[in-house]
Amino acid sequence: MFISKTSEYALRILTYMALNSETQLSATILFEELRIPKRYLMRLLTDLSKSGFIQATRGRSGGYVFARPLESIFFSEIIDSVEGLLSYEGCVLGNPVCPIDKPCAMHHIWDKPKLTFLQTLKTTTLADLKEADNI
Amino acid sequence: MFISKTSEYALRILTYMALNSETQLSATILFEELRIPKRYLMRLLTDLSKSGFIQATRGRSGGYVFARPLESIFFSEIIDSVEGLLSYEGCVLGNPVCPIDKPCAMHHIWDKPKLTFLQTLKTTTLADLKEADNI
DNA sequence: ATAAACTAATACTTATAGGTATTATTTTAT
DNA sequence: ATAAAATAATACCTATAAGTATTAGTTTAT
Protein backbone atom coordinates (compact mmCIF):
# COMPACT_ATOMS: atom_id res chain seq x y z
CA MET A 1 0.00 0.00 0.00
CA PHE A 2 3.09 2.21 0.19
CA ILE A 3 1.54 5.41 1.56
CA SER A 4 -1.88 6.07 3.06
CA LYS A 5 -4.60 7.72 1.04
CA THR A 6 -4.37 10.78 3.27
CA SER A 7 -0.64 11.08 2.53
CA GLU A 8 -1.46 10.74 -1.13
CA TYR A 9 -3.97 13.57 -0.83
CA ALA A 10 -1.50 15.76 1.06
CA LEU A 11 1.10 15.22 -1.65
CA ARG A 12 -1.44 15.95 -4.35
CA ILE A 13 -2.40 19.20 -2.66
CA LEU A 14 1.11 20.42 -1.97
CA THR A 15 2.59 19.39 -5.31
CA TYR A 16 -0.22 21.19 -7.10
CA MET A 17 0.28 24.26 -4.96
CA ALA A 18 4.04 24.09 -5.55
CA LEU A 19 3.55 24.17 -9.30
CA ASN A 20 1.23 27.16 -8.90
CA SER A 21 2.97 28.88 -6.06
CA GLU A 22 2.61 32.40 -7.50
CA THR A 23 -1.12 32.42 -6.89
CA GLN A 24 -3.22 32.07 -3.78
CA LEU A 25 -5.52 29.08 -4.16
CA SER A 26 -8.89 28.63 -2.52
CA ALA A 27 -10.27 25.29 -1.31
CA THR A 28 -12.87 25.46 -4.07
CA ILE A 29 -10.25 25.77 -6.77
CA LEU A 30 -8.18 22.97 -5.28
CA PHE A 31 -11.29 20.84 -5.12
CA GLU A 32 -11.97 21.42 -8.80
CA GLU A 33 -8.40 20.58 -9.79
CA LEU A 34 -7.62 17.65 -7.52
CA ARG A 35 -9.81 14.59 -7.08
CA ILE A 36 -10.35 14.82 -3.34
CA PRO A 37 -13.71 14.88 -1.51
CA LYS A 38 -14.34 18.54 -0.73
CA ARG A 39 -14.95 18.39 3.00
CA TYR A 40 -12.07 16.03 3.55
CA LEU A 41 -9.87 18.27 1.46
CA MET A 42 -10.80 21.24 3.62
CA ARG A 43 -9.94 19.36 6.75
CA LEU A 44 -6.59 18.42 5.32
CA LEU A 45 -5.95 22.04 4.36
CA THR A 46 -6.57 23.07 7.94
CA ASP A 47 -4.22 20.33 9.12
CA LEU A 48 -1.53 21.43 6.69
CA SER A 49 -1.97 24.99 7.95
CA LYS A 50 -1.59 23.93 11.55
CA SER A 51 1.50 21.96 10.59
CA GLY A 52 2.96 25.15 9.21
CA PHE A 53 3.31 24.15 5.56
CA ILE A 54 0.72 26.56 4.25
CA GLN A 55 -0.94 29.71 5.46
CA ALA A 56 -4.67 30.38 5.29
CA THR A 57 -6.29 33.71 4.62
CA ARG A 58 -9.89 33.75 5.77
CA GLY A 59 -12.73 35.73 4.39
CA ARG A 60 -14.15 36.53 1.03
CA SER A 61 -11.01 36.59 -1.03
CA GLY A 62 -9.22 34.06 1.10
CA GLY A 63 -7.23 30.98 0.20
CA TYR A 64 -3.95 29.24 0.80
CA VAL A 65 -0.31 30.02 0.06
CA PHE A 66 2.88 28.43 1.30
CA ALA A 67 4.02 29.55 4.72
CA ARG A 68 7.61 28.51 4.08
CA PRO A 69 9.98 28.46 1.12
CA LEU A 70 9.52 25.43 -1.11
CA GLU A 71 13.21 24.61 -0.78
CA SER A 72 12.70 23.89 2.90
CA ILE A 73 9.83 21.43 2.58
CA PHE A 74 11.05 17.86 2.27
CA PHE A 75 8.68 15.11 1.29
CA SER A 76 9.69 13.21 4.38
CA GLU A 77 8.34 16.03 6.51
CA ILE A 78 5.00 16.03 4.74
CA ILE A 79 4.42 12.31 5.15
CA ASP A 80 5.73 12.48 8.68
CA SER A 81 3.17 15.11 9.63
CA VAL A 82 0.29 13.24 8.02
CA GLU A 83 0.83 9.63 9.02
CA GLY A 84 4.21 9.46 10.70
CA LEU A 85 7.43 8.11 9.23
CA LEU A 86 8.31 5.66 11.97
CA SER A 87 6.54 2.70 10.43
CA TYR A 88 8.73 3.17 7.35
CA GLU A 89 11.93 3.34 9.32
CA GLY A 90 11.35 0.22 11.39
CA CYS A 91 11.85 -3.46 10.69
CA VAL A 92 9.75 -4.86 7.84
CA LEU A 93 8.80 -7.89 9.84
CA GLY A 94 7.72 -5.66 12.69
CA ASN A 95 10.41 -6.65 15.13
CA PRO A 96 10.74 -3.99 17.81
CA VAL A 97 14.47 -4.03 17.19
CA CYS A 98 16.45 -5.71 14.46
CA PRO A 99 19.88 -6.11 16.11
CA ILE A 100 22.90 -5.95 13.84
CA ASP A 101 24.32 -9.26 14.99
CA LYS A 102 21.01 -11.08 14.55
CA PRO A 103 18.89 -9.18 12.06
CA CYS A 104 15.46 -10.35 10.93
CA ALA A 105 15.19 -12.80 8.04
CA MET A 106 14.35 -10.15 5.50
CA HIS A 107 16.74 -7.50 6.72
CA HIS A 108 19.31 -7.76 3.94
CA ILE A 109 16.70 -8.05 1.25
CA TRP A 110 14.62 -5.11 2.38
CA ASP A 111 17.49 -2.80 3.15
CA LYS A 112 18.06 -1.40 -0.31
CA PRO A 113 14.48 -0.54 -1.32
CA LYS A 114 13.85 0.94 2.10
CA LEU A 115 16.94 3.12 1.95
CA THR A 116 16.20 4.28 -1.58
CA PHE A 117 12.69 5.18 -0.52
CA LEU A 118 13.65 7.06 2.64
CA GLN A 119 16.64 8.75 1.02
CA THR A 120 14.45 10.08 -1.77
CA LEU A 121 11.90 11.43 0.68
CA LYS A 122 14.54 12.99 2.87
CA THR A 123 16.54 14.67 0.12
CA THR A 124 13.80 15.93 -2.16
CA THR A 125 11.89 19.16 -1.58
CA LEU A 126 8.85 20.68 -3.21
CA ALA A 127 11.18 23.04 -5.05
CA ASP A 128 12.65 20.07 -6.89
CA LEU A 129 9.34 19.47 -8.62
CA LYS A 130 9.76 22.38 -11.00
CA GLU A 131 13.19 21.11 -11.94
CA ALA A 132 11.89 17.60 -12.49
CA ASP A 133 9.07 19.00 -14.58
CA ASN A 134 11.59 20.12 -17.18
CA ILE A 135 13.32 16.80 -17.68
CA MET B 1 2.99 2.50 5.96
CA PHE B 2 4.74 0.42 3.29
CA ILE B 3 2.90 -2.88 3.71
CA SER B 4 -0.24 -3.82 5.59
CA LYS B 5 -0.05 -5.57 8.91
CA THR B 6 -1.51 -8.68 7.35
CA SER B 7 1.25 -8.71 4.71
CA GLU B 8 3.75 -8.28 7.49
CA TYR B 9 2.27 -11.29 9.28
CA ALA B 10 2.30 -13.37 6.10
CA LEU B 11 5.96 -12.55 5.55
CA ARG B 12 6.77 -13.32 9.16
CA ILE B 13 5.09 -16.72 8.86
CA LEU B 14 6.61 -17.72 5.55
CA THR B 15 10.11 -16.45 6.30
CA TYR B 16 10.10 -18.35 9.56
CA MET B 17 8.87 -21.47 7.81
CA ALA B 18 11.50 -21.03 5.10
CA LEU B 19 14.29 -20.97 7.63
CA ASN B 20 12.85 -24.14 9.21
CA SER B 21 11.64 -25.87 6.10
CA GLU B 22 12.88 -29.31 7.11
CA THR B 23 10.26 -29.63 9.81
CA GLN B 24 6.51 -29.56 9.74
CA LEU B 25 5.28 -26.74 11.94
CA SER B 26 1.97 -26.60 13.79
CA ALA B 27 -0.06 -23.45 14.31
CA THR B 28 0.72 -23.66 18.01
CA ILE B 29 4.46 -23.67 17.42
CA LEU B 30 4.20 -20.79 14.96
CA PHE B 31 2.13 -18.89 17.49
CA GLU B 32 4.79 -19.39 20.12
CA GLU B 33 7.59 -18.25 17.83
CA LEU B 34 5.96 -15.36 15.97
CA ARG B 35 4.12 -12.48 17.60
CA ILE B 36 0.77 -12.90 15.90
CA PRO B 37 -2.64 -13.27 17.59
CA LYS B 38 -3.37 -16.99 17.52
CA ARG B 39 -6.77 -17.02 15.88
CA TYR B 40 -5.72 -14.50 13.29
CA LEU B 41 -2.60 -16.50 12.62
CA MET B 42 -4.68 -19.62 12.05
CA ARG B 43 -6.89 -17.81 9.59
CA LEU B 44 -3.87 -16.57 7.70
CA LEU B 45 -2.45 -20.09 7.62
CA THR B 46 -5.66 -21.33 6.04
CA ASP B 47 -5.49 -18.46 3.52
CA LEU B 48 -1.89 -19.27 2.69
CA SER B 49 -2.90 -22.91 2.23
CA LYS B 50 -5.69 -21.97 -0.15
CA SER B 51 -3.30 -19.74 -2.05
CA GLY B 52 -1.10 -22.77 -2.54
CA PHE B 53 1.99 -21.59 -0.69
CA ILE B 54 1.77 -24.12 2.08
CA GLN B 55 0.06 -27.41 2.68
CA ALA B 56 -1.88 -28.35 5.78
CA THR B 57 -2.04 -31.73 7.38
CA ARG B 58 -5.01 -32.06 9.70
CA GLY B 59 -5.32 -34.13 12.78
CA ARG B 60 -3.32 -34.90 15.83
CA SER B 61 0.17 -34.70 14.39
CA GLY B 62 -0.75 -32.15 11.77
CA GLY B 63 0.86 -28.91 10.78
CA TYR B 64 2.13 -26.98 7.81
CA VAL B 65 4.87 -27.47 5.23
CA PHE B 66 5.56 -25.71 1.96
CA ALA B 67 3.49 -26.89 -0.97
CA ARG B 68 5.99 -25.55 -3.53
CA PRO B 69 9.75 -25.24 -3.74
CA LEU B 70 11.09 -22.16 -1.96
CA GLU B 71 12.87 -21.09 -5.15
CA SER B 72 9.52 -20.55 -6.83
CA ILE B 73 7.96 -18.30 -4.20
CA PHE B 74 8.66 -14.64 -4.90
CA PHE B 75 7.90 -12.00 -2.30
CA SER B 76 5.81 -10.16 -4.85
CA GLU B 77 3.50 -13.16 -5.08
CA ILE B 78 3.04 -13.32 -1.33
CA ILE B 79 2.11 -9.68 -0.97
CA ASP B 80 -0.02 -9.88 -4.08
CA SER B 81 -2.06 -12.72 -2.63
CA VAL B 82 -2.54 -11.01 0.72
CA GLU B 83 -3.29 -7.40 -0.19
CA GLY B 84 -2.74 -7.07 -3.93
CA LEU B 85 0.21 -5.45 -5.63
CA LEU B 86 -1.67 -3.05 -7.87
CA SER B 87 -1.64 -0.14 -5.46
CA TYR B 88 2.16 -0.35 -5.47
CA GLU B 89 2.43 -0.37 -9.23
CA GLY B 90 0.23 2.65 -9.87
CA CYS B 91 0.87 6.40 -9.76
CA VAL B 92 1.92 7.76 -6.36
CA LEU B 93 -0.47 10.64 -6.63
CA GLY B 94 -3.26 8.24 -7.47
CA ASN B 95 -3.76 9.34 -11.04
CA PRO B 96 -5.57 6.61 -12.94
CA VAL B 97 -2.94 6.94 -15.64
CA CYS B 98 0.35 8.82 -15.62
CA PRO B 99 0.96 9.42 -19.34
CA ILE B 100 4.55 9.53 -20.50
CA ASP B 101 4.20 12.91 -22.20
CA LYS B 102 2.54 14.50 -19.18
CA PRO B 103 3.47 12.55 -16.07
CA CYS B 104 2.32 13.51 -12.60
CA ALA B 105 4.34 16.04 -10.62
CA MET B 106 6.13 13.42 -8.57
CA HIS B 107 6.69 10.91 -11.30
CA HIS B 108 10.42 11.45 -11.77
CA ILE B 109 11.07 11.65 -8.08
CA TRP B 110 9.15 8.53 -7.14
CA ASP B 111 10.32 6.40 -10.02
CA LYS B 112 13.55 5.16 -8.50
CA PRO B 113 12.36 4.11 -5.04
CA LYS B 114 9.28 2.47 -6.54
CA LEU B 115 11.33 0.48 -9.03
CA THR B 116 13.86 -0.60 -6.43
CA PHE B 117 11.04 -1.75 -4.20
CA LEU B 118 9.13 -3.67 -6.86
CA GLN B 119 12.26 -5.13 -8.41
CA THR B 120 13.36 -6.49 -5.07
CA LEU B 121 9.99 -8.09 -4.45
CA LYS B 122 9.83 -9.56 -7.93
CA THR B 123 13.34 -10.99 -8.02
CA THR B 124 13.73 -12.36 -4.52
CA THR B 125 12.39 -15.72 -3.42
CA LEU B 126 12.06 -17.38 -0.06
CA ALA B 127 15.08 -19.50 -0.98
CA ASP B 128 17.22 -16.36 -1.02
CA LEU B 129 16.68 -15.93 2.71
CA LYS B 130 19.05 -18.72 3.64
CA GLU B 131 21.71 -17.18 1.45
CA ALA B 132 21.18 -13.76 2.96
CA ASP B 133 21.37 -15.29 6.40
CA ASN B 134 25.00 -16.16 5.79
CA ILE B 135 26.18 -12.70 4.82
C1' DA C 1 -14.12 -46.70 20.33
C1' DT C 2 -12.72 -42.47 21.97
C1' DA C 3 -10.20 -38.61 23.57
C1' DA C 4 -6.52 -35.52 22.39
C1' DA C 5 -4.49 -32.53 19.25
C1' DC C 6 -4.75 -30.67 15.37
C1' DT C 7 -6.82 -27.72 10.98
C1' DA C 8 -11.25 -25.47 8.49
C1' DA C 9 -14.95 -22.43 7.96
C1' DT C 10 -17.73 -18.85 9.03
C1' DA C 11 -19.80 -15.35 11.70
C1' DC C 12 -19.10 -11.72 14.71
C1' DT C 13 -16.74 -7.70 17.13
C1' DT C 14 -13.46 -3.88 17.47
C1' DA C 15 -10.26 -0.37 15.97
C1' DT C 16 -8.82 2.79 12.61
C1' DA C 17 -8.85 5.38 8.37
C1' DG C 18 -11.59 7.86 5.46
C1' DG C 19 -15.44 10.76 4.61
C1' DT C 20 -19.64 13.88 5.85
C1' DA C 21 -22.50 17.41 8.32
C1' DT C 22 -23.16 21.28 11.04
C1' DT C 23 -22.15 25.42 12.96
C1' DA C 24 -18.98 29.25 13.91
C1' DT C 25 -15.81 32.77 12.46
C1' DT C 26 -13.47 36.04 9.40
C1' DT C 27 -13.05 39.26 5.57
C1' DT C 28 -14.47 42.21 1.87
C1' DA C 29 -17.48 44.13 -1.73
C1' DT C 30 -21.53 46.53 -1.92
C1' DA D 1 -24.49 47.69 8.06
C1' DT D 2 -24.90 43.47 5.79
C1' DA D 3 -24.68 39.73 2.65
C1' DA D 4 -21.52 36.85 0.21
C1' DA D 5 -17.62 34.02 0.11
C1' DA D 6 -14.17 32.27 2.23
C1' DT D 7 -11.71 29.26 6.28
C1' DA D 8 -12.04 26.74 11.26
C1' DA D 9 -13.57 23.54 14.51
C1' DT D 10 -15.85 19.80 16.07
C1' DA D 11 -18.92 16.08 16.08
C1' DC D 12 -20.64 12.43 13.64
C1' DC D 13 -21.00 8.50 10.23
C1' DT D 14 -19.11 4.67 7.20
C1' DA D 15 -16.00 1.41 5.15
C1' DT D 16 -12.26 -1.47 5.78
C1' DA D 17 -8.64 -3.82 8.24
C1' DA D 18 -7.61 -6.35 12.23
C1' DG D 19 -8.83 -9.42 15.68
C1' DT D 20 -12.06 -12.87 18.26
C1' DA D 21 -15.46 -16.61 19.04
C1' DT D 22 -17.80 -20.59 17.86
C1' DT D 23 -18.54 -24.72 15.83
C1' DA D 24 -17.22 -28.42 12.64
C1' DG D 25 -14.12 -31.73 10.74
C1' DT D 26 -9.82 -34.81 10.63
C1' DT D 27 -6.20 -37.82 12.28
C1' DT D 28 -3.72 -40.67 15.46
C1' DA D 29 -2.30 -42.60 19.96
C1' DT D 30 -4.23 -45.17 23.38
Side-chain angles (χ1 to χ4, degrees):
Chain A
M1 133 187 346
F2 247 137
I3 58 172
S4 70
K5 208 152 199 183
T6 306
S7 286
E8 184 185 307
Y9 289 161
L11 291 180
R12 229 189 268 167
I13 293 167
L14 294 181
T15 53
Y16 182 84
M17 287 185 66
L19 294 177
N20 298 275
S21 52
E22 327 76 43
T23 41
Q24 176 181 264
L25 297 164
S26 69
T28 305
I29 290 180
L30 290 170
F31 167 67
E32 283 158 3
E33 293 296 331
L34 314 169
R35 304 160 308 286
I36 302 172
K38 184 151 189 189
R39 290 172 193 281
Y40 198 58
L41 165 69
M42 294 186 71
R43 223 176 60 181
L44 289 181
L45 286 167
T46 305
D47 289 348
L48 293 171
S49 295
K50 281 189 186 163
S51 306
F53 296 113
I54 57 179
Q55 193 166 31
T57 308
R58 294 173 80 152
R60 186 160 179 159
S61 56
Y64 301 89
V65 293
F66 278 98
R68 293 163 40 187
L70 296 181
E71 298 76 33
S72 76
I73 304 180
F74 290 86
F75 286 107
S76 53
E77 201 189 341
I78 300 171
I79 293 186
D80 194 28
S81 92
V82 173
E83 60 163 320
L85 210 63
L86 259 78
S87 64
Y88 294 96
E89 311 254 13
C91 168
V92 217
L93 295 187
N95 292 323
V97 284
C98 209
I100 248 183
D101 57 320
K102 197 182 176 306
C104 80
M106 287 189 61
H107 192 91
H108 302 292
I109 288 158
W110 207 264
D111 226 32
K112 194 176 151 200
K114 189 169 106 178
L115 262 167
T116 309
F117 177 79
L118 289 173
Q119 276 304 103
T120 303
L121 291 183
K122 287 180 180 171
T123 57
T124 316
T125 73
L126 287 176
D128 296 320
L129 286 178
K130 300 196 174 184
E131 311 276 336
D133 218 30
N134 300 329
I135 292 172
Chain B
M1 135 190 340
F2 250 138
I3 59 173
S4 70
K5 208 151 198 185
T6 306
S7 286
E8 185 186 307
Y9 289 161
L11 292 180
R12 228 188 271 166
I13 293 167
L14 294 181
T15 54
Y16 182 83
M17 286 185 67
L19 294 178
N20 297 277
S21 53
E22 327 76 43
T23 41
Q24 175 180 267
L25 298 164
S26 69
T28 304
I29 289 180
L30 289 170
F31 167 67
E32 281 159 4
E33 292 296 330
L34 315 169
R35 306 161 306 288
I36 303 173
K38 182 150 190 189
R39 290 171 192 281
Y40 200 57
L41 164 70
M42 293 187 72
R43 224 177 57 183
L44 288 182
L45 287 168
T46 305
D47 290 348
L48 293 172
S49 294
K50 282 189 187 164
S51 307
F53 295 113
I54 57 179
Q55 194 167 31
T57 307
R58 296 173 81 154
R60 185 161 180 157
S61 57
Y64 302 88
V65 294
F66 278 99
R68 293 164 38 189
L70 295 181
E71 297 78 31
S72 75
I73 304 181
F74 290 86
F75 287 107
S76 52
E77 200 190 342
I78 300 171
I79 293 186
D80 194 28
S81 92
V82 173
E83 61 162 320
L85 211 64
L86 259 78
S87 64
Y88 293 97
E89 310 255 13
C91 168
V92 217
L93 295 186
N95 293 322
V97 282
C98 210
I100 248 182
D101 57 319
K102 197 183 176 303
C104 81
M106 288 189 61
H107 193 91
H108 302 293
I109 290 158
W110 207 265
D111 227 33
K112 194 176 149 198
K114 190 170 104 177
L115 263 167
T116 308
F117 178 79
L118 290 173
Q119 276 305 101
T120 302
L121 291 183
K122 287 179 182 174
T123 57
T124 316
T125 73
L126 286 176
D128 296 320
L129 285 176
K130 299 197 173 181
E131 310 277 334
D133 217 33
N134 300 329
I135 294 175

